[in-house]
Amino acid sequence: MIWHLKLLRCVIFSLCFFSFFALAEENPFDPKEANQQLDKLSIKLSIAQPNAQSLQEAATLLLDFQNKAKDCVKDTEKQIEDLKLQLPQETSNTPLTKDQQYLKEKRSTIEARLAECKLFVLRSEEAIQAFTKTAKDLSTSAIFKKGPNFWDQV
C-alpha cells in the first residue's frame, strides 16, 4: 500500500516537472531581459535627438515585446492555477512533504515571474504612449513649421 503512495507522488512530481518544462519552452519571454532592453531603449532615445520615425519604430518594437509579456502573464497565471490544484490547503498542524515543499517553492518562483511580466506590460504601455505622443508632436511641429514666405520666393 505504501509503494502505491510513493508511485503516485512520483507520477505527480514527474507530470508537474514536465509540464513546467514544456511551458518554459513554449514561452521563452525573459522579463528581466525585456526590462533591460526597455531601459536601454529609453536611454538611447533620451540622449539622441529622435525623429518621429525612430520613435514609431521603437513603439512598434515595444508593442511586440508587450504582446509576448501578455502571453507570459497568461501562461504563468495558468501555471499558478495548476499548482494551486496540486497543493493541498495549508494547515498549521500538517507539515509539508518534500514534494509539496517543492511545489510551493515552484509556485513562489512562478509568482515572481508573473510579477515581472506584469511590470513589463505596465512599463511598456507607458513607454509606447510616450513614444507615440512624442512622435505625433514631432510630426505636427514639422508640418506646421514656419517656412520661407511664399511671396518672397516668387
Side-chain angles (χ1 to χ4, degrees), residues 15-100:
L15 288 174
C16 183
F17 177 76
F18 288 117
S19 68
F20 290 136
F21 182 76
L23 285 172
E25 289 298 315
E26 290 173 8
N27 190 8
F29 178 76
D30 183 6
K32 290 179 182 176
E33 177 67 25
N35 276 307
Q36 289 174 351
Q37 292 298 324
L38 177 58
D39 291 339
K40 288 178 185 177
L41 183 63
S42 296
I43 290 170
K44 182 179 176 184
L45 291 174
S46 67
I47 293 173
Q49 287 291 349
N51 58 23
Q53 182 181 357
S54 65
L55 287 171
Q56 284 294 10
E57 289 171 1
T60 303
L61 178 67
L62 275 177
L63 190 60
D64 183 45
F65 274 112
Q66 186 184 55
N67 289 333
K68 290 179 182 178
K70 287 178 181 179
D71 290 341
C72 173
V73 169
K74 285 186 229 173
D75 292 344
T76 52
E77 284 176 343
K78 182 175 179 352
Q79 288 177 355
I80 290 170
E81 288 303 315
D82 291 345
L83 279 176
K84 283 182 182 178
L85 294 174
Q86 293 177 9
L87 282 171
Q89 294 294 328
E90 291 185 35
T91 59
S92 59
N93 300 342
T94 310
L96 295 176
T97 65
K98 288 184 179 183
D99 293 336
Q100 290 171 337

Side-chain angles (χ1 to χ4, degrees), residues 99-117:
D99 293 336
Q100 290 171 337
Q101 185 64 33
Y102 170 79
L103 292 175
K104 188 175 179 180
E105 291 169 4
K106 190 67 174 175
R107 186 174 81 186
S108 296
T109 303
I110 294 171
E111 286 173 344
R113 179 177 167 82
L114 175 64
E116 290 172 349
C117 290

